[in-house]
Amino acid sequence: MKKNIFNSLLIVGIATLSLVSCSKEYLDTEPQYAASPDAIFSDADAARLAVNGISKMMTTQYLGTQGMNGEGTIKSWYGNFTGNDFQKCNQTSWAALWNSTYQERATTIYDYYPWFYYYKLVGNANQIICGIEEDEDTSAELKFIKAQGLCYRAYSFFMLSQLYCHRWVDSNGGADPGIVLRTDLSSGDQPLATLAETYKQIYDDLDNAIRLFKESGMSRGKDEFFMPDIDVAYAIYARAALTREDWATAAQNAALAREGHPLMSGSQYMDSGFNEPNDEWIWGVYEASDQTIYYYSFYAYQGSNASSSNCRSFPTAISKELYDQIPETDQRRKLWLEPTEEEYKDSKLSKTTGRSTGLLQTRALKEFGDKLYSTSYVFMYMQFKHMCSFYPGGGSFNIFRAAEMYLTEAEADCHLGKDAEARALLNELNKNHDSAYSCTKSGDELLTEVKLYRRIDLWGEGFDWFDYKRWKQPIVRKSIANGGSFHATFAITLNPTDANNWTWVIPNKEKDYNDDIK
């Protein structure tokens, strides 16, 4: 890996989206450099730097707020911390956010951060897409780069739709509002598309990206896991189609996306599979020690061995209810700190917070010393799956990996009545973790099994809240007093119709700027 890969950036025509004022400057897409986009995008070297710049945006601190770090924030704050199976131990001062009380607060930074971030990616992707014209003289490399721009835009539109739109099943066949589909360099008033139109745009972008990738005959470099290629296009397609309940499309693209990406070995998964890129990663975010964003980084909020106070004082943990469903023969159980009966009864383990200063802490420091920062607080069921590569909390992380594609294909197969195929996918996924595993279920029981192993294998990777939303299943967190493992402050039940149907409202900053969505 070249550690200086992002040292020289040419971010063309950055859509600043400062969200500081309500003026037309809100969507200022004027280039920040003297050269025109046409001149820049006729040169492959310059265009390559521009698409690298978008990759860098996915690990950049924004809005002067610690923790708003690009893609990592979406995974942690919006996917994990608000979910059913994940706890940010004892961080009660953030309970309002973790308990999903901000969805209808159109002026809060938590509402407009994802809108700001993904439209920033869209604005820059549009510079590439619109700047590279297709004709008989278009080079293979420029076709490849344009395809990458289309992947960034499709991914951004999809993520926005998950957050700011209703579930597909609740959208009146897609007739409900979608998002603003900005697909050119204009920044004027524009109404919301429907959700059906939003998915059509995502599909169209991915179809064009796949076509251009194939026409180019190129692929990304061996170490460029952070750059989109044709497998990334298939993976975005699969995830979007699954969320849209387009089962056949989801299954087809999931199978294509995982080709050439073998599942991690059992030892890889347990030791370094989530902060060191490997062949299973389809797409990821790159962060090196000489390009770190320090206390703003993803692992500074989620790494068991991070030196940041946010991790040392408030580590992350799996819910006891999910942990108890992992078979005793499954090695993945070892990624979490289960208390023994003696350790649970220890007077130095708080039955309010789950924190131990006694027997469980002693064992954790002894058994997990290489995965736990020496001064970190110890809580029952805390995790050792996600670790930083360097202090205080830096490291790369995946956006897509093959396991998700196995589970996506299996879930789609269940809805298509292809039980045998779904069972085979589950057996393949789990063989490196549990030699005793053999799935024989069918029908609704099989679908429940697929969902369970999606929760287990992808835990902490940003799917929790998003999956429960699309499944239209309630979030039910039990306190320690009621047989669970959550702090009482987080022990809530969130029904599918609560919290604005789990839909973040369009931020006021967009409405103030865009007269067409009053």
Side-chain angles (χ1 to χ4, degrees):
M1 175 61 63
K2 296 179 181 179
K3 289 193 173 184
N4 293 320
I5 197 157
F6 291 131
N7 282 358
S8 298
L9 298 178
L10 176 60
I11 302 174
V12 182
I14 296 176
T16 57
L17 293 181
S18 65
L19 292 171
V20 172
S21 68
C22 300
S23 71
K24 294 295 183 182
E25 295 176 356
Y26 162 61
L27 279 175
D28 178 11
T29 57
E30 290 300 311
Q32 295 186 347
Y33 295 89
S36 70
D38 289 343
I40 290 170
F41 290 115
S42 64
D43 179 80
D45 290 338
R48 193 183 313 113
L49 286 172
V51 80
N52 273 6
I54 303 181
S55 294
K56 179 57 180 170
M57 289 178 186
M58 301 183 91
T59 176
T60 299
Q61 184 264 329
Y62 292 108
L63 301 177
T65 302
Q66 186 167 326
M68 290 190 171
N69 56 35
E71 198 66 20
T73 301
I74 304 298
K75 282 182 171 287
S76 294
W77 294 20
Y78 297 84
N80 291 333
F81 298 171
T82 52
N84 185 81
D85 301 324
F86 195 104
Q87 180 177 190
K88 188 69 168 151
C89 296
N90 208 31
Q91 198 177 43
T92 55
S93 60
W94 289 73
L97 182 58
W98 307 158
N99 290 346
S100 296
T101 66
Y102 281 93
Q103 267 83 340
E104 295 182 90
R105 301 186 189 184
T107 60
T108 177
I109 194 172
Y110 307 115
D111 183 52
Y112 66 71
Y113 168 72
W115 193 269
F116 157 82
Y117 166 63
Y118 284 117
Y119 278 110
K120 188 174 184 69
L121 298 188
V122 167
N124 280 266
N126 283 342
Q127 294 284 347
I128 295 169
I129 296 165
C130 298
I132 298 177
E133 295 184 2
E134 291 182 59
D135 54 39
E136 64 274 10
D137 296 324
T138 305
S139 69
E141 185 163 10
L142 284 174
K143 287 183 178 182
F144 185 82
I145 291 170
K146 184 168 184 174
Q148 291 180 312
L150 287 161
C151 285
Y152 282 116
R153 187 168 76 184
Y155 179 72
S156 298
F157 282 160
F158 168 63
M159 294 301 290
L160 286 163
S161 72
Q162 286 194 107
L163 290 158
Y164 295 97
C165 302
H166 290 163
R167 304 172 184 88
W168 180 258
V169 70
D170 295 330
S171 70
N172 296 307
D176 282 4
I179 58 173
V180 180
L181 295 175
R182 298 194 180 275
T183 58
D184 54 31
L185 302 185
S186 65
S187 57
D189 297 334
Q190 186 172 335
L192 295 173
T194 66
L195 187 56
E197 291 168 337
T198 298
Y199 274 108
K200 182 180 184 304
Q201 183 64 56
I202 294 166
Y203 281 22
D204 286 349
D205 279 353
L206 294 169
D207 286 337
N208 282 323
I210 291 165
R211 172 183 61 81
L212 286 167
F213 280 131
K214 289 179 177 179
E215 288 179 7
S216 77
M218 297 179 62
S219 59
R220 67 191 180 191
K222 184 178 183 299
D223 293 328
E224 293 179 330
F225 67 92
F226 49 87
M227 299 295 286
D229 66 357
I230 194 168
D231 292 343
V232 172
Y234 289 136
I236 299 169
Y237 223 140
R239 192 185 290 181
L242 188 73
T243 306
R244 190 205 169 286
E245 300 187 353
D246 181 0
W247 310 121
T249 301
Q252 176 186 9
N253 282 279
L256 291 168
R258 61 183 173 82
E259 288 183 9
H261 296 280
L263 293 167
M264 284 183 251
S265 67
S267 59
Q268 275 183 305
Y269 189 101
M270 299 296 288
D271 294 333
S272 60
F274 299 96
N275 62 12
E276 293 183 10
N278 57 66
D279 289 342
E280 186 182 334
W281 289 25
I282 299 171
W283 192 24
V285 172
Y286 171 67
E287 185 179 348
S289 58
D290 61 342
Q291 296 160 21
T292 182
I293 50 175
Y294 300 99
Y295 294 97
Y296 300 90
S297 299
F298 170 71
Y299 291 108
Y301 282 77
Q302 212 170 285
S304 63
N305 63 334
S307 62
S308 61
S309 61
N310 198 282
C311 281
R312 287 185 289 108
S313 299
F314 310 109
T316 56
I318 194 172
S319 70
K320 179 180 184 296
E321 288 183 278
L322 176 57
Y323 180 87
D324 286 346
Q325 294 182 73
I326 305 174
E328 293 281 353
T329 52
D330 194 315
Q331 69 164 358
R332 285 168 292 201
R333 285 177 66 98
K334 298 176 182 177
L335 292 172
W336 296 282
L337 183 62
E338 178 192 20
T340 64
E341 183 176 353
E342 182 183 12
E343 289 165 346
Y344 185 81
K345 292 179 178 179
D346 183 9
S347 62
K348 292 185 178 180
L349 187 148
S350 170
K351 302 308 184 292
T352 301
T353 67
R355 182 187 172 193
S356 169
T357 56
L359 296 176
L360 185 64
Q361 180 188 49
T362 299
R363 179 164 67 88
L365 292 172
K366 180 180 180 180
E367 293 185 9
F368 297 98
D370 59 334
K371 297 182 177 182
L372 178 67
Y373 197 75
S374 59
T375 59
S376 292
Y377 294 171
V378 170
F379 287 78
M380 61 179 186
Y381 299 103
M382 67 184 298
Q383 66 90 24
F384 302 102
K385 175 180 178 179
H386 296 282
M387 298 178 290
C388 67
S389 298
F390 48 86
Y391 294 138
S396 300
F397 56 91
N398 78 80
I399 302 174
F400 291 97
R401 62 184 180 92
E404 179 197 347
M405 297 297 108
Y406 275 84
L407 290 157
T408 293
E409 187 178 354
E411 185 174 339
D413 281 346
C414 287
H415 290 282
L416 294 168
K418 300 168 69 174
D419 286 7
E421 290 85 345
R423 285 193 294 269
L425 288 161
L426 276 182
N427 288 331
E428 181 68 19
L429 174 75
N430 290 314
K431 71 179 184 180
N432 289 339
H433 305 296
D434 185 353
S435 59
Y437 184 82
S438 178
C439 182
T440 59
K441 296 178 180 178
S442 60
D444 289 342
E445 288 186 350
L446 177 59
L447 179 59
T448 299
E449 182 87 343
V450 171
K451 290 180 179 180
L452 172 63
Y453 276 92
R454 186 176 177 92
R455 292 163 61 197
I456 293 169
D457 199 80
L458 303 182
W459 183 90
E461 297 176 53
F463 294 95
D464 196 335
W465 182 87
F466 292 106
D467 279 342
Y468 271 80
K469 177 178 178 176
R470 66 180 180 83
W471 288 334
K472 204 172 181 179
Q473 292 182 195
I475 283 175
V476 182
R477 306 180 192 148
K478 292 186 178 180
S479 67
I480 298 171
N482 289 324
S485 57
F486 282 95
H487 190 293
T489 304
F490 306 130
I492 63 166
T493 295
L494 189 68
N495 292 307
T497 55
D498 295 338
N500 195 34
N501 293 296
W502 300 24
T503 303
W504 291 83
V505 296
I506 305 300
N508 274 2
K509 290 183 181 292
E510 173 69 26
K511 294 179 181 178
D512 292 342
Y513 161 81
N514 185 350
D515 290 339
D516 282 355
I517 60 170
K518 294 293 186 185

